[in-house]
Amino acid sequence: MSVHSFQEHFDNLIDRDVTIEPKDWMPDDYRKTLIRQISQHAHSEIIGMLPEGNWITRAPSLRRKAVLLAKVQDEAGHGLYLYSAAETLGISRDEMYNQLHTGKAKYSSIFNYPTLTWADMGAIGWLVDGAAIMNQVPLCRTSYGPYARAMVRVCKEESFHQRQGFEIMLTLSKGTDIQRKLAQDAFNRWWWPSLMMFGPPDAESPNTEQSVRWRIKRFTNDELRQKFVDVTVEQARVLGLEMPDKDIKWNEERGHYDFGTINWSEFYNVVKGNGPCNKQRIEARRKAWDEGKWVRDAAMAHAAKRKARQSEVKAA
Amino acid sequence: MTNDKLNNSKNEWPLWEVFIRSKAGLDHKHAGSLHAADAQMAIENARDVYTRRMEGVSIWVVESKHIQASDPGEADSMYDPASDKIYRHPTFYNLPDEVKYM
């Protein structure tokens, strides 16, 4: 087959909603786009452990601590599912780590914000995981098989994350005045960065069209953001918290909530590396990688030794 | 599974494919992959990565490089011979209505 007919065959699979698998022919740009998206997604899960890890030792009860530990462990798991999905496209795990540690690869910029109070654990679960679920559910039907299967697993586990966050917010918002204030303050700080998680507006997102064509993405950034705003307004009402946006208003004609203007220069500034915690996050990952080197090496040496001993026994 | 031509990092722990039996009586099914220094570590890691919610009662691991896969480019010629043999299915045969339970 010529490249042209390979391309035709591929387009045909995409049009018929057939899943693409690792050994199938795929255009270089499709492969590259997927590697970028899946590895960034994996990095986000791994970096995402850090802001919450900050509160494990200070969780207010044993129940909350067990839940937070389980959630952070899930995030490690999600990172691992996604890294191995990306590896099926021909990039090695070490190369992906290297891209993260050198700043060549990005991760979700929301994790560059600090977790100042316990209420942030509630706001992150409710809003950040809520936004992530909005993004991730359609990815369960994305065109690349290993990515879609990883996302099915991730989504199954993610809904507990959002519920436990909402439960923290609910408990705080029904608590003392100070607890209510903590909840509102966390909501205020995490609301706008959560909206930014869906990425730049469609008009400024040059890759969206191609990704939708390839069924890597199934909805645009703005569509998902709107959906998130619509459900969150209702949930905030249940919590009795005030929306941190004076421009939130039901629009009868559109059948959606209107909302205020997002500060995109803040977003681009954080993406560029100037958020409150960018440096700290990457340093923590690098440190873990460097200080874990002897463990990785020792495990390999141990495995080699054991293998050698087994073949000696066999030979004897 | 990995395209190993492109994936030759020297110091990486090898890649393993993980298969999990979700409950007694069912087949092991491919769950995903992971890196581990040896088979024992692969099973332990698989426990933590793929069965945090009681998804399994038994785990198989096999180093990815040992898996041979068919070529999707040859799928047509590979599976074509079966496509015109509908007589292999019970529905191919017409039975009189009086015959029940066959």
Side-chain angles (χ1 to χ4, degrees):
Chain A
M1 272 199 277
S2 64
V3 170
H4 177 70
S5 55
F6 275 121
Q7 178 77 49
E8 233 168 56
H9 180 69
F10 175 84
D11 289 344
N12 189 271
L13 293 179
I14 293 283
D15 290 341
R16 286 189 298 134
D17 233 341
V18 176
T19 305
I20 308 298
E21 293 294 341
K23 288 177 74 112
D24 289 329
W25 184 90
M26 60 188 87
D28 283 348
D29 284 343
Y30 176 82
R31 187 184 297 275
K32 257 188 247 162
T33 303
L34 276 171
I35 289 179
R36 197 190 59 229
Q37 183 171 330
I38 302 173
S39 65
Q40 283 184 8
H41 195 161
H43 297 327
S44 302
E45 298 282 355
I46 298 301
I47 296 281
M49 292 192 282
L50 298 170
E52 288 176 309
N54 182 34
W55 281 91
I56 289 174
T57 55
R58 291 176 288 163
S61 70
L62 189 57
R63 177 181 182 271
R64 296 285 186 212
K65 182 186 278 201
V67 168
L68 187 57
L69 264 174
K71 178 178 193 286
V72 171
Q73 194 189 11
D74 272 353
E75 273 145 22
H78 299 174
L80 294 175
Y81 308 153
L82 288 161
Y83 279 131
S84 41
E87 280 172 274
T88 64
L89 292 157
I91 186 168
S92 72
R93 184 77 59 99
D94 280 1
E95 175 55 22
M96 284 186 275
Y97 288 156
N98 184 48
Q99 289 178 354
L100 175 65
H101 299 160
T102 55
K104 198 185 153 207
K106 302 284 181 221
Y107 53 86
S108 186
S109 58
I110 192 115
F111 301 118
N112 291 316
Y113 291 86
T115 44
L116 304 177
T117 73
W118 169 253
D120 289 11
M121 297 303 97
I124 287 181
W126 173 39
L127 300 171
V128 177
D129 290 283
I133 291 170
M134 263 320 147
N135 256 325
Q136 288 170 350
V137 168
L139 289 175
C140 296
R141 295 184 300 124
T142 195
S143 62
Y144 187 58
Y147 190 24
R149 291 190 285 274
M151 291 317 302
V152 168
R153 222 173 266 283
V154 169
C155 287
K156 262 190 211 160
E157 300 179 351
E158 199 82 53
S159 71
F160 124 66
H161 296 184
Q162 192 185 15
R163 285 181 182 208
Q164 66 85 37
F166 189 79
E167 192 198 63
I168 292 174
M169 292 303 269
L170 195 61
T171 309
L172 290 174
S173 65
K174 288 186 170 161
T176 63
D177 275 359
I178 292 177
Q179 286 175 318
R180 275 191 55 81
K181 270 187 196 146
L182 278 179
Q184 183 67 54
D185 166 67
F187 187 16
N188 295 349
R189 280 181 294 109
W190 291 94
W191 171 247
W192 292 105
S194 298
L195 292 189
M196 295 175 196
M197 278 178 74
F198 295 94
D202 294 348
E204 291 165 40
S205 174
N207 299 326
T208 291
E209 199 187 330
Q210 180 60 269
S211 287
V212 170
R213 165 77 187 90
W214 279 331
R215 291 191 298 105
I216 294 176
K217 263 186 171 178
R218 311 212 63 144
F219 296 97
T220 69
N221 298 351
D222 286 335
E223 285 168 346
L224 291 168
R225 185 165 18 243
Q226 181 68 60
K227 219 171 145 190
F228 177 71
V229 171
D230 291 347
V231 300
T232 310
V233 172
E234 305 295 330
Q235 292 163 0
R237 207 165 287 152
V238 177
L239 293 174
L241 296 178
E242 209 178 296
M243 289 301 295
D245 176 359
K246 297 282 166 266
D247 295 326
I248 291 271
K249 222 179 91 195
W250 178 251
N251 183 325
E252 193 67 56
E253 205 177 302
R254 294 199 307 124
H256 292 291
Y257 283 95
D258 289 336
F259 53 97
T261 316
I262 295 170
N263 182 354
W264 288 110
S265 59
E266 175 184 324
F267 173 76
Y268 288 115
N269 199 34
V270 177
V271 170
K272 250 186 261 158
N274 303 321
C277 302
N278 295 55
K279 261 195 169 163
Q280 194 184 325
R281 301 292 184 236
I282 289 297
E283 262 165 32
R285 284 314 308 157
R286 268 198 220 129
K287 182 165 176 274
W289 179 250
D290 292 343
E291 292 180 1
K293 185 177 186 311
W294 72 268
V295 179
R296 297 191 298 275
D297 292 346
M300 282 301 270
H302 178 66
K305 219 189 237 175
R306 198 149 60 172
K307 207 173 176 184
R309 214 175 293 145
Q310 273 166 359
S311 48
E312 259 170 47
V313 172
K314 261 183 214 154
Chain B
M1 259 173 289
T2 308
N3 191 339
D4 27 72
K5 267 182 302 188
L6 295 160
N7 191 3
N8 48 2
S9 265
K10 279 161 264 119
N11 303 317
E12 250 178 27
W13 287 350
L15 190 66
W16 300 76
E17 299 303 320
V18 178
F19 300 83
I20 290 177
R21 185 201 297 284
S22 56
K23 62 179 195 189
L26 297 183
D27 294 323
H28 285 78
K29 202 176 142 203
H30 187 240
S33 40
L34 49 75
H35 288 271
D38 60 20
Q40 193 191 334
M41 188 197 277
I43 287 177
E44 286 161 7
N45 288 357
R47 196 268 317 257
D48 291 342
V49 178
Y50 292 107
T51 67
R52 286 193 305 286
R53 287 175 177 75
M54 302 193 303
E55 289 95 336
V57 295
S58 164
I59 297 173
W60 287 352
V61 294
V62 59
E63 237 190 289
S64 308
K65 67 179 182 194
H66 295 311
I67 291 196
Q68 297 296 316
S70 61
D71 178 357
E74 287 169 5
D76 285 348
S77 57
M78 186 95 160
Y79 307 110
D80 179 61
S83 67
D84 61 354
K85 296 179 179 61
I86 48 170
Y87 47 83
R88 285 176 172 162
H89 297 278
T91 46
F92 179 75
Y93 302 92
N94 289 319
L95 296 183
D97 290 345
E98 304 92 275
V99 180
K100 284 168 187 154
Y101 312 115
M102 182 185 282

